[in-house]
Short mmCIF file of all heavy atoms in Angstrom, two decimals:
data_model
loop_
_atom_site.label_atom_id
_atom_site.label_comp_id
_atom_site.label_asym_id
_atom_site.label_seq_id
_atom_site.Cartn_x
_atom_site.Cartn_y
_atom_site.Cartn_z
N ALA A 1 0.84 -1.19 0.00
CA ALA A 1 0.00 0.00 0.00
C ALA A 1 0.88 1.25 0.00
O ALA A 1 2.01 1.23 0.49
CB ALA A 1 -0.90 0.00 1.23
N TRP A 2 0.35 2.33 -0.56
CA TRP A 2 1.08 3.60 -0.49
C TRP A 2 1.32 3.98 0.98
O TRP A 2 0.50 3.66 1.85
CB TRP A 2 0.28 4.72 -1.13
CG TRP A 2 0.08 4.68 -2.61
CD1 TRP A 2 -1.10 4.72 -3.27
CD2 TRP A 2 1.10 4.64 -3.63
NE1 TRP A 2 -0.90 4.69 -4.63
CE2 TRP A 2 0.44 4.65 -4.88
CE3 TRP A 2 2.49 4.60 -3.60
CZ2 TRP A 2 1.13 4.61 -6.10
CZ3 TRP A 2 3.18 4.55 -4.81
CH2 TRP A 2 2.51 4.57 -6.04
N PRO A 3 2.39 4.70 1.24
CA PRO A 3 2.56 5.27 2.57
C PRO A 3 1.68 6.51 2.72
O PRO A 3 1.06 6.97 1.75
CB PRO A 3 4.05 5.67 2.58
CG PRO A 3 4.29 6.08 1.15
CD PRO A 3 3.47 5.11 0.32
N LEU A 4 1.63 7.05 3.92
CA LEU A 4 0.99 8.34 4.16
C LEU A 4 2.08 9.40 4.22
O LEU A 4 3.01 9.30 5.03
CB LEU A 4 0.21 8.32 5.47
CG LEU A 4 -0.43 9.65 5.90
CD1 LEU A 4 -1.49 10.09 4.91
CD2 LEU A 4 -1.00 9.54 7.31
N LEU A 5 1.98 10.42 3.36
CA LEU A 5 2.91 11.55 3.39
C LEU A 5 2.32 12.64 4.26
O LEU A 5 1.18 13.08 4.02
CB LEU A 5 3.15 12.10 1.98
CG LEU A 5 3.69 11.14 0.93
CD1 LEU A 5 3.94 11.90 -0.38
CD2 LEU A 5 4.96 10.46 1.41
N THR A 6 3.06 13.09 5.27
CA THR A 6 2.58 14.14 6.15
C THR A 6 3.62 15.23 6.25
O THR A 6 4.80 15.03 5.95
CB THR A 6 2.27 13.59 7.56
OG1 THR A 6 3.47 13.04 8.13
CG2 THR A 6 1.19 12.53 7.51
N SER A 7 3.18 16.41 6.69
CA SER A 7 4.12 17.49 6.93
C SER A 7 3.44 18.59 7.72
O SER A 7 2.22 18.80 7.62
CB SER A 7 4.67 18.07 5.63
OG SER A 7 5.71 19.01 5.88
N PHE A 8 4.24 19.31 8.53
CA PHE A 8 3.78 20.54 9.14
C PHE A 8 3.78 21.69 8.15
O PHE A 8 3.21 22.74 8.42
CB PHE A 8 4.69 20.92 10.32
CG PHE A 8 4.54 20.04 11.53
CD1 PHE A 8 5.47 19.07 11.82
CD2 PHE A 8 3.48 20.21 12.40
CE1 PHE A 8 5.35 18.27 12.94
CE2 PHE A 8 3.34 19.42 13.53
CZ PHE A 8 4.28 18.45 13.80
N ARG A 9 4.46 21.50 7.02
CA ARG A 9 4.68 22.56 6.05
C ARG A 9 3.72 22.39 4.86
O ARG A 9 3.92 21.52 4.00
CB ARG A 9 6.11 22.54 5.55
CG ARG A 9 7.17 22.58 6.64
CD ARG A 9 7.04 23.82 7.51
NE ARG A 9 7.05 25.04 6.71
CZ ARG A 9 6.91 26.27 7.20
NH1 ARG A 9 6.71 26.43 8.49
NH2 ARG A 9 6.95 27.32 6.41
N PRO A 10 2.66 23.21 4.79
CA PRO A 10 1.73 23.10 3.68
C PRO A 10 2.39 23.23 2.31
O PRO A 10 1.96 22.59 1.34
CB PRO A 10 0.75 24.25 3.93
CG PRO A 10 0.79 24.47 5.41
CD PRO A 10 2.22 24.22 5.79
N GLU A 11 3.46 24.04 2.23
CA GLU A 11 4.14 24.21 0.95
C GLU A 11 4.70 22.89 0.43
O GLU A 11 4.69 22.62 -0.78
CB GLU A 11 5.29 25.22 1.07
CG GLU A 11 4.92 26.52 1.77
CD GLU A 11 5.25 26.51 3.25
OE1 GLU A 11 4.85 25.56 3.95
OE2 GLU A 11 5.92 27.46 3.71
N ALA A 12 5.20 22.06 1.36
CA ALA A 12 5.75 20.76 0.97
C ALA A 12 4.63 19.82 0.51
O ALA A 12 4.79 19.08 -0.47
CB ALA A 12 6.53 20.15 2.12
N LEU A 13 3.51 19.83 1.21
CA LEU A 13 2.40 18.99 0.80
C LEU A 13 1.79 19.44 -0.52
O LEU A 13 1.32 18.62 -1.32
CB LEU A 13 1.32 18.97 1.88
CG LEU A 13 1.67 18.22 3.17
CD1 LEU A 13 0.55 18.38 4.19
CD2 LEU A 13 1.94 16.75 2.90
N LEU A 14 1.82 20.74 -0.77
CA LEU A 14 1.28 21.26 -2.02
C LEU A 14 2.07 20.75 -3.23
O LEU A 14 1.50 20.29 -4.21
CB LEU A 14 1.28 22.79 -2.00
CG LEU A 14 0.78 23.48 -3.27
CD1 LEU A 14 -0.67 23.11 -3.56
CD2 LEU A 14 0.94 24.99 -3.14
N THR A 15 3.39 20.82 -3.14
CA THR A 15 4.19 20.35 -4.28
C THR A 15 4.18 18.83 -4.38
O THR A 15 4.27 18.28 -5.48
CB THR A 15 5.63 20.87 -4.20
OG1 THR A 15 6.20 20.54 -2.92
CG2 THR A 15 5.68 22.38 -4.41
N ALA A 16 4.04 18.14 -3.23
CA ALA A 16 3.87 16.69 -3.28
C ALA A 16 2.57 16.35 -4.00
O ALA A 16 2.52 15.43 -4.83
CB ALA A 16 3.87 16.10 -1.87
N ARG A 17 1.51 17.08 -3.68
CA ARG A 17 0.22 16.86 -4.35
C ARG A 17 0.34 17.12 -5.85
O ARG A 17 -0.16 16.33 -6.66
CB ARG A 17 -0.84 17.80 -3.76
CG ARG A 17 -2.23 17.59 -4.33
CD ARG A 17 -3.11 18.80 -4.13
NE ARG A 17 -2.68 19.92 -4.96
CZ ARG A 17 -3.27 21.10 -4.97
NH1 ARG A 17 -4.30 21.34 -4.18
NH2 ARG A 17 -2.83 22.07 -5.76
N ASP A 18 0.97 18.21 -6.22
CA ASP A 18 1.06 18.56 -7.63
C ASP A 18 1.93 17.57 -8.40
O ASP A 18 1.67 17.29 -9.58
CB ASP A 18 1.62 19.98 -7.79
CG ASP A 18 0.65 21.04 -7.31
OD1 ASP A 18 -0.54 20.71 -7.09
OD2 ASP A 18 1.08 22.20 -7.12
N ALA A 19 2.97 17.04 -7.73
CA ALA A 19 3.87 16.10 -8.41
C ALA A 19 3.27 14.72 -8.54
O ALA A 19 3.37 14.08 -9.60
CB ALA A 19 5.20 16.02 -7.66
N ARG A 20 2.65 14.22 -7.47
CA ARG A 20 2.09 12.86 -7.46
C ARG A 20 0.76 12.90 -6.70
O ARG A 20 0.68 12.49 -5.55
CB ARG A 20 3.07 11.87 -6.82
CG ARG A 20 4.39 11.69 -7.56
CD ARG A 20 4.17 11.05 -8.93
NE ARG A 20 5.43 10.75 -9.60
CZ ARG A 20 6.08 11.60 -10.42
NH1 ARG A 20 5.58 12.81 -10.65
NH2 ARG A 20 7.21 11.23 -10.99
N PRO A 21 -0.29 13.39 -7.35
CA PRO A 21 -1.56 13.63 -6.64
C PRO A 21 -2.22 12.39 -6.07
O PRO A 21 -3.06 12.50 -5.18
CB PRO A 21 -2.44 14.28 -7.71
CG PRO A 21 -1.81 13.94 -9.02
CD PRO A 21 -0.35 13.82 -8.75
N HIS A 22 -1.85 11.21 -6.55
CA HIS A 22 -2.47 9.98 -6.06
C HIS A 22 -1.92 9.52 -4.71
O HIS A 22 -2.50 8.61 -4.11
CB HIS A 22 -2.27 8.85 -7.08
CG HIS A 22 -0.84 8.66 -7.47
ND1 HIS A 22 -0.18 9.51 -8.32
CD2 HIS A 22 0.07 7.73 -7.10
CE1 HIS A 22 1.07 9.11 -8.47
NE2 HIS A 22 1.25 8.04 -7.73
N LEU A 23 -0.83 10.11 -4.24
CA LEU A 23 -0.27 9.68 -2.96
C LEU A 23 -1.08 10.28 -1.80
O LEU A 23 -1.36 11.47 -1.79
CB LEU A 23 1.19 10.12 -2.84
CG LEU A 23 2.16 9.50 -3.85
CD1 LEU A 23 3.56 10.05 -3.64
CD2 LEU A 23 2.15 7.98 -3.77
N PRO A 24 -1.43 9.48 -0.79
CA PRO A 24 -2.20 10.00 0.35
C PRO A 24 -1.40 11.02 1.14
O PRO A 24 -0.20 10.84 1.38
CB PRO A 24 -2.47 8.75 1.19
CG PRO A 24 -2.23 7.59 0.29
CD PRO A 24 -1.20 8.03 -0.68
N ARG A 25 -2.09 12.09 1.55
CA ARG A 25 -1.45 13.17 2.28
C ARG A 25 -2.17 13.46 3.58
O ARG A 25 -3.40 13.29 3.67
CB ARG A 25 -1.45 14.47 1.44
CG ARG A 25 -0.60 14.40 0.18
CD ARG A 25 -0.82 15.61 -0.71
NE ARG A 25 -2.20 15.70 -1.18
CZ ARG A 25 -2.71 14.98 -2.19
NH1 ARG A 25 -1.94 14.11 -2.82
NH2 ARG A 25 -3.97 15.12 -2.56
N GLY A 26 -1.39 13.92 4.58
CA GLY A 26 -1.98 14.31 5.85
C GLY A 26 -1.30 15.56 6.38
O GLY A 26 -0.08 15.70 6.30
N LEU A 27 -2.10 16.50 6.91
CA LEU A 27 -1.56 17.73 7.48
C LEU A 27 -1.25 17.51 8.95
O LEU A 27 -2.12 17.07 9.72
CB LEU A 27 -2.55 18.87 7.31
CG LEU A 27 -2.10 20.24 7.84
CD1 LEU A 27 -0.87 20.75 7.08
CD2 LEU A 27 -3.25 21.25 7.74
N LEU A 28 -0.02 17.80 9.34
CA LEU A 28 0.41 17.73 10.74
C LEU A 28 0.14 19.06 11.42
O LEU A 28 0.44 20.13 10.86
CB LEU A 28 1.91 17.43 10.81
CG LEU A 28 2.33 15.97 10.85
CD1 LEU A 28 3.78 15.80 10.41
CD2 LEU A 28 2.13 15.39 12.24
N LEU A 29 -0.42 19.01 12.62
CA LEU A 29 -0.75 20.23 13.36
C LEU A 29 -0.31 20.11 14.81
O LEU A 29 -0.67 19.16 15.51
CB LEU A 29 -2.27 20.46 13.33
CG LEU A 29 -2.87 20.76 11.95
CD1 LEU A 29 -4.39 20.71 12.02
CD2 LEU A 29 -2.40 22.13 11.45
N ASP A 30 0.49 21.10 15.25
CA ASP A 30 0.88 21.20 16.65
C ASP A 30 0.04 22.25 17.37
O ASP A 30 0.05 22.34 18.59
CB ASP A 30 2.36 21.55 16.77
CG ASP A 30 2.88 21.29 18.17
OD1 ASP A 30 2.59 20.21 18.73
OD2 ASP A 30 3.58 22.17 18.72
N SER A 31 -0.69 23.06 16.58
CA SER A 31 -1.66 24.02 17.10
C SER A 31 -2.73 24.19 16.04
O SER A 31 -2.50 23.90 14.86
CB SER A 31 -0.99 25.37 17.42
OG SER A 31 -0.50 25.97 16.23
N LEU A 32 -3.89 24.66 16.46
CA LEU A 32 -4.99 24.87 15.52
C LEU A 32 -4.93 26.31 15.02
O LEU A 32 -5.66 27.19 15.46
CB LEU A 32 -6.33 24.56 16.20
CG LEU A 32 -6.47 23.14 16.75
CD1 LEU A 32 -7.84 22.95 17.37
CD2 LEU A 32 -6.21 22.10 15.66
N TRP A 33 -4.00 26.55 14.08
CA TRP A 33 -3.80 27.91 13.58
C TRP A 33 -4.94 28.30 12.64
O TRP A 33 -5.60 27.44 12.04
CB TRP A 33 -2.44 28.05 12.91
CG TRP A 33 -1.95 26.90 12.07
CD1 TRP A 33 -1.17 25.87 12.47
CD2 TRP A 33 -2.21 26.69 10.66
NE1 TRP A 33 -0.92 25.02 11.42
CE2 TRP A 33 -1.53 25.50 10.29
CE3 TRP A 33 -2.93 27.38 9.69
CZ2 TRP A 33 -1.56 24.99 8.99
CZ3 TRP A 33 -2.96 26.88 8.39
CH2 TRP A 33 -2.28 25.70 8.06
N PRO A 34 -5.19 29.62 12.53
CA PRO A 34 -6.31 30.08 11.71
C PRO A 34 -6.21 29.58 10.27
O PRO A 34 -5.16 29.71 9.63
CB PRO A 34 -6.17 31.61 11.77
CG PRO A 34 -5.44 31.88 13.05
CD PRO A 34 -4.48 30.74 13.20
N GLY A 35 -7.29 28.98 9.80
CA GLY A 35 -7.34 28.51 8.43
C GLY A 35 -6.77 27.12 8.19
O GLY A 35 -6.71 26.67 7.05
N CYS A 36 -6.40 26.42 9.28
CA CYS A 36 -5.74 25.12 9.07
C CYS A 36 -6.67 24.12 8.39
O CYS A 36 -6.22 23.33 7.54
CB CYS A 36 -5.21 24.57 10.38
SG CYS A 36 -6.43 24.27 11.68
N TRP A 37 -7.95 24.15 8.73
CA TRP A 37 -8.86 23.18 8.12
C TRP A 37 -9.08 23.50 6.64
O TRP A 37 -9.17 22.58 5.81
CB TRP A 37 -10.19 23.15 8.86
CG TRP A 37 -10.05 22.94 10.33
CD1 TRP A 37 -10.57 23.70 11.33
CD2 TRP A 37 -9.33 21.88 10.99
NE1 TRP A 37 -10.22 23.20 12.56
CE2 TRP A 37 -9.46 22.08 12.38
CE3 TRP A 37 -8.58 20.79 10.54
CZ2 TRP A 37 -8.89 21.23 13.33
CZ3 TRP A 37 -8.00 19.94 11.48
CH2 TRP A 37 -8.16 20.17 12.85
N ALA A 38 -9.13 24.76 6.30
CA ALA A 38 -9.26 25.14 4.89
C ALA A 38 -8.03 24.70 4.10
O ALA A 38 -8.14 24.26 2.94
CB ALA A 38 -9.45 26.66 4.76
N VAL A 39 -6.86 24.78 4.72
CA VAL A 39 -5.63 24.33 4.06
C VAL A 39 -5.67 22.82 3.84
O VAL A 39 -5.30 22.32 2.77
CB VAL A 39 -4.39 24.75 4.88
CG1 VAL A 39 -3.14 24.04 4.38
CG2 VAL A 39 -4.21 26.26 4.81
N ALA A 40 -6.12 22.07 4.84
CA ALA A 40 -6.22 20.62 4.69
C ALA A 40 -7.17 20.26 3.55
O ALA A 40 -6.90 19.32 2.78
CB ALA A 40 -6.69 19.98 6.00
N ARG A 41 -8.25 21.01 3.41
CA ARG A 41 -9.16 20.76 2.29
C ARG A 41 -8.50 21.10 0.96
O ARG A 41 -8.60 20.35 -0.02
CB ARG A 41 -10.43 21.59 2.46
CG ARG A 41 -11.30 21.21 3.64
CD ARG A 41 -12.60 21.99 3.63
NE ARG A 41 -13.16 22.09 4.98
CZ ARG A 41 -13.07 23.17 5.75
NH1 ARG A 41 -12.50 24.28 5.30
NH2 ARG A 41 -13.59 23.16 6.97
N GLN A 42 -7.83 22.25 0.91
CA GLN A 42 -7.18 22.68 -0.32
C GLN A 42 -6.13 21.66 -0.78
O GLN A 42 -5.99 21.38 -1.97
CB GLN A 42 -6.52 24.05 -0.12
CG GLN A 42 -5.74 24.54 -1.33
CD GLN A 42 -4.85 25.73 -1.00
OE1 GLN A 42 -4.64 26.06 0.16
NE2 GLN A 42 -4.32 26.37 -2.02
N LEU A 43 -5.41 21.10 0.17
CA LEU A 43 -4.38 20.11 -0.14
C LEU A 43 -4.96 18.74 -0.44
O LEU A 43 -4.24 17.82 -0.77
CB LEU A 43 -3.40 20.01 1.02
CG LEU A 43 -2.55 21.26 1.29
CD1 LEU A 43 -1.82 21.14 2.62
CD2 LEU A 43 -1.56 21.48 0.15
N GLN A 44 -6.29 18.62 -0.30
CA GLN A 44 -6.99 17.35 -0.53
C GLN A 44 -6.40 16.23 0.33
O GLN A 44 -6.14 15.12 -0.13
CB GLN A 44 -6.97 17.00 -2.01
CG GLN A 44 -7.72 18.04 -2.84
CD GLN A 44 -7.45 17.94 -4.32
OE1 GLN A 44 -6.32 17.73 -4.73
NE2 GLN A 44 -8.49 18.10 -5.11
N CYS A 45 -6.20 16.58 1.61
CA CYS A 45 -5.66 15.61 2.56
C CYS A 45 -6.69 14.52 2.83
O CYS A 45 -7.90 14.78 2.84
CB CYS A 45 -5.28 16.30 3.86
SG CYS A 45 -3.83 17.37 3.72
N VAL A 46 -6.20 13.34 3.06
CA VAL A 46 -7.06 12.23 3.48
C VAL A 46 -6.98 12.02 4.98
O VAL A 46 -7.75 11.25 5.55
CB VAL A 46 -6.69 10.92 2.74
CG1 VAL A 46 -6.85 11.09 1.24
CG2 VAL A 46 -5.28 10.46 3.09
N ALA A 47 -6.04 12.72 5.64
CA ALA A 47 -5.83 12.55 7.08
C ALA A 47 -5.36 13.85 7.70
O ALA A 47 -4.78 14.71 7.01
CB ALA A 47 -4.81 11.43 7.34
#
């Protein structure tokens, strides 16, 4: 099975998505910063 790619850095997940959109992605959060859920949706995170 594919691994889960995660990062605290949305910029890294964005280019991962653009390069290989079929790979599962997850946004890492150490705090609930403003707009974090919108970013997770934009990045099409599965986790």
Side-chain angles (χ1 to χ4, degrees):
W2 292 125
L4 176 64
L5 302 184
T6 60
S7 188
F8 288 103
R9 306 301 305 178
E11 312 95 309
L13 289 176
L14 178 61
T15 53
R17 184 201 70 180
D18 291 346
R20 296 294 186 270
H22 53 284
L23 296 179
R25 294 171 298 281
L27 181 63
L28 271 159
L29 294 169
D30 195 46
S31 64
L32 301 181
W33 39 268
C36 60
W37 307 127
V39 168
R41 294 186 205 103
Q42 176 193 12
L43 294 169
Q44 297 166 318
C45 290
V46 300

